[in-house]
Amino acid sequence: GNEVECELLFFKDNKFWSERWRRGSIPIRWKTTLSSKLSSPKHRVEKDAFFNGTAEYFRKLINRYGEIPIRCVSLLQTEEEHSENEIKGYFRMALEQLFDVGITNVFFTPFDLNQHLHAEGSSEAMMDFLSYIAPLSDGDGFAKGELPNTITEPQHGLMRFNCADSLDRTNLATFYYAMRFTADWCKENKVGLSKTPNADPNQPNKILDQTII
């Protein structure tokens, strides 16, 4: 559910750079139930059929992106009493079973974003998240090309983010991720924010300069 391909595009002179990632709900068989209007939703895994469709889903990603590493960043809560923990466990199990059907480039990597937000606040949670994903994505790089549409170098890895329903936590995580790769592109191309104190935020094209921050 809520499956989306996201992409950042950068242009400079006659060249372009692209960074793509995926976001969506957990690609196993599960459901959410409400026992009453006042209760919190409970997540339940279809334990006899949880793997149905998972391999097919990842084969579609491989057909689209090639045999590159696909890292599934799970933002689900990890407290034992929380129903998301059960989904997380079956998600990990499903990704391990992919090896049995010949899919060896998909990896599970958990990060309980809620735990960090509640314990440390949004600023520290963001820094923790960026520190966590940095070594995972360092080798992925950008897809690079020349205008109008010639690809000269592919992207070397793909990140996929999920919480339970691919909404609030996934919004935050993908925003953080986009910030990180925007900064990477600025560093790589020696482009940053202008140091002039009179920069007009309503004219962002004038805030960019040829000097890194």
Side-chain angles (χ1 to χ4, degrees):
N2 294 335
E3 181 76 19
V4 178
E5 177 184 271
C6 305
E7 183 174 23
L8 280 174
L9 286 168
F10 302 93
F11 299 91
K12 185 181 179 185
D13 301 326
N14 67 332
K15 298 179 180 179
F16 66 87
W17 293 254
S18 164
E19 175 67 27
R20 293 187 292 177
W21 65 93
R22 302 288 295 206
R23 56 174 294 168
S25 60
I26 310 106
I28 62 174
R29 297 284 182 176
W30 63 283
K31 60 185 177 182
T32 300
T33 58
L34 277 174
S35 58
S36 73
K37 292 182 179 179
L38 300 178
S39 65
S40 299
K42 301 294 183 182
H43 306 302
R44 296 287 182 263
V45 176
E46 296 183 19
K47 297 178 182 178
D48 295 332
F50 73 95
F51 191 63
N52 288 355
T54 302
E56 289 77 7
Y57 168 77
F58 283 103
R59 286 193 183 104
K60 289 180 180 179
L61 293 190
I62 292 169
N63 287 338
R64 180 165 179 79
Y65 302 103
E67 293 279 351
I68 62 175
I70 299 173
R71 301 177 187 87
C72 297
V73 181
S74 169
L75 307 170
L76 295 170
Q77 297 191 58
T78 56
E79 294 94 338
E80 288 189 11
E81 68 276 6
H82 200 284
S83 61
E84 284 189 1
N85 189 49
E86 181 184 55
I87 306 178
K88 178 186 69 69
Y90 276 91
F91 186 22
R92 181 195 295 270
M93 194 185 309
L95 297 190
E96 290 171 352
Q97 289 188 22
L98 291 176
F99 283 76
D100 298 334
V101 296
I103 300 174
T104 60
N105 62 318
V106 179
F107 307 97
F108 178 81
T109 176
F111 185 89
D112 188 340
L113 184 56
N114 261 358
Q115 184 182 62
H116 286 267
L117 288 169
H118 293 156
E120 302 165 349
S122 57
S123 296
E124 286 300 319
M126 179 185 70
M127 298 309 298
D128 288 348
F129 179 77
L130 292 176
S131 297
Y132 180 77
I133 65 169
L136 301 176
S137 56
D138 271 348
D140 294 352
F142 295 94
K144 300 177 182 179
E146 297 179 356
L147 295 174
N149 56 7
T150 301
I151 301 292
T152 58
E153 182 179 342
Q155 187 172 315
H156 299 295
L158 181 74
M159 303 288 277
R160 184 191 189 275
F161 300 95
N162 74 269
C163 52
D165 46 15
S166 186
L167 291 175
D168 297 342
R169 284 169 287 173
T170 306
N171 288 341
L172 272 178
T174 55
F175 178 71
Y176 296 159
Y177 186 75
M179 286 176 57
R180 179 264 165 98
F181 270 91
T182 299
D184 284 353
W185 183 84
C186 288
K187 292 176 183 177
E188 182 178 314
N189 290 275
K190 295 182 172 58
V191 172
L193 295 178
S194 171
K195 297 179 180 180
T196 172
N198 299 318
D200 183 359
N202 295 315
Q203 295 180 294
N205 58 305
K206 293 186 178 181
I207 299 178
L208 290 177
D209 195 2
Q210 295 303 310
T211 305
I212 192 63
I213 300 171

